[in-house]
């Protein structure tokens, strides 16, 4: 994971977008659907040009088209080969940590280990009333959900209790991410490809060479 971030001698390059609704050749604002398709094409071009990463921001407002980054990233995964696929950011405060884990574990499987998720509170708060949440719970929602997500990363049975959702008792989230090199599980130890990593940390495979 950390090798993929780059070094001063070998930096990583990427881009991020909220799926801004720009204007077409006639000066008209493009539809939300067209803006999402443009994001996918932008990512395909970035992969072709050798960029290392694309991050999609989550918003629920008229001026930005990407409200479900993981779905758009899955479409990008099917048309790219090496670019890493992430969020900038996933608004964990107004989402469910178990579903976030499962969606990105699925994306990781589809993309053969290229999925990344950045968790945050969001720079706007439109998702709180949209999903029936109170801004008064802004701090506790993020703190509790981040704690639960950290436990889910261990990919074992989770027992957790908090104020913002019903407790979990010895439950697991699926699919497990497995080894990013060959897809085996558990991801902390892989005899087939010789990789190993601490429980809850992705294997540190070397960065792929640029094409």
């Amino acid at each position: 994971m950390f090798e993929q971030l780059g070094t001063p001698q070998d930096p990583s390059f990427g881009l991020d977008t909220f799926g801004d609704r720009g204007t077409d050749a006639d000066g008209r604002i493009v539809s939300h659907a067209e803006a999402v398709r443009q994001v996918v094409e932008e990512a395909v071009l970035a992969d072709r040009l050798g960029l290392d990463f694309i991050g999609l921001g989550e918003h629920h407002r008229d001026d930005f088209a990407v409200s479900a980054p993981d779905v758009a990233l899955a479409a990008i995964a099917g048309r790219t080969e090496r670019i890493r696929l992430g969020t900038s950011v996933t608004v964990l405060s107004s989402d469910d940590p178990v579903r976030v884990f499962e969606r990105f574990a699925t994306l990781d499987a589809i993309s053969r280990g290229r999925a990344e998720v950045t968790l945050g509170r969001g720079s706007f708060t439109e998702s709180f009333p949209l999903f029936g949440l109170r801004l008064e719970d802004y701090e506790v929602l993020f703190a509790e959900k981040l704690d639960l997500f950290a436990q889910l990363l261990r990919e074992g049975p989770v027992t957790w209790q908090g104020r913002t959702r019903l407790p979990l008792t010895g439950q697991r989230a699926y699919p497990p991410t497995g080894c990013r090199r060959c897809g085996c599980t558990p991801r902390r130890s892989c005899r087939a490809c010789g990789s190993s990593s601490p429980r809850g940390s992705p294997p540190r495979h070397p960065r792929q060479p640029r094409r």
Side-chain angles (χ1 to χ4, degrees):
M1 172 67 77
F2 296 106
E3 290 87 339
Q4 293 182 349
L5 296 178
T7 66
Q9 295 75 31
D10 184 21
S12 294
F13 295 95
L15 52 87
D16 61 72
T17 178
F18 296 151
D20 308 53
R21 295 178 63 201
T23 55
D24 61 18
D26 297 322
R28 293 173 297 192
I29 297 177
V30 301
S31 67
H32 292 83
E34 178 59 27
V36 171
R37 290 191 289 268
Q38 289 175 354
V39 167
V40 174
E41 295 303 326
E42 182 179 2
V44 171
L45 178 60
D47 182 64
R48 190 179 308 145
L49 294 176
L51 271 70
D52 299 297
F53 175 82
I54 183 165
L56 305 188
E58 173 191 343
H59 281 286
H60 306 270
R61 47 191 297 132
D62 187 58
D63 45 347
F64 300 126
V66 179
S67 59
D70 48 296
V71 178
L73 290 169
I76 293 168
R79 297 184 54 193
T80 57
E81 297 181 3
R82 58 170 303 279
I83 195 168
R84 301 197 310 276
L85 312 169
T87 53
S88 302
V89 301
T90 292
V91 185
L92 185 64
S93 302
S94 57
D95 211 329
D96 181 79
V98 177
R99 294 297 294 139
V100 172
F101 178 90
E102 292 187 333
R103 294 198 304 265
F104 279 88
T106 301
L107 176 63
D108 203 55
I110 292 170
S111 64
R112 297 186 178 271
R114 291 185 285 142
E116 299 181 11
V117 58
T118 303
L119 305 176
R121 306 164 191 254
S123 55
F124 295 87
T125 58
E126 74 272 0
S127 63
F128 284 78
L130 181 63
F131 297 118
L133 301 170
R134 302 188 312 164
L135 279 175
E136 292 86 348
D137 297 327
Y138 184 85
E139 298 291 344
V140 68
L141 281 166
F142 185 72
E144 286 197 358
K145 292 183 178 187
L146 185 62
D147 178 63
L148 175 53
F149 191 86
Q151 294 194 42
L152 292 165
L153 288 178
R154 299 170 185 165
E155 302 199 359
V158 173
T159 297
W160 181 91
Q161 186 171 357
R163 292 168 43 196
T164 56
R165 59 158 291 158
L166 293 175
L168 298 177
T169 304
Q171 292 165 280
R172 294 176 180 265
Y174 294 93
T177 60
C179 170
R180 292 187 177 221
R181 179 176 293 174
C182 73
C184 61
T185 57
R187 86 177 154 183
R188 65 183 179 276
S189 178
C190 175
R191 295 182 180 179
C193 70
S195 70
S196 63
S197 65
R199 186 182 177 100
S201 300
R204 294 185 172 188
H205 297 324
R207 297 177 66 200
Q208 295 298 315
R210 292 188 177 90
R211 295 183 176 182

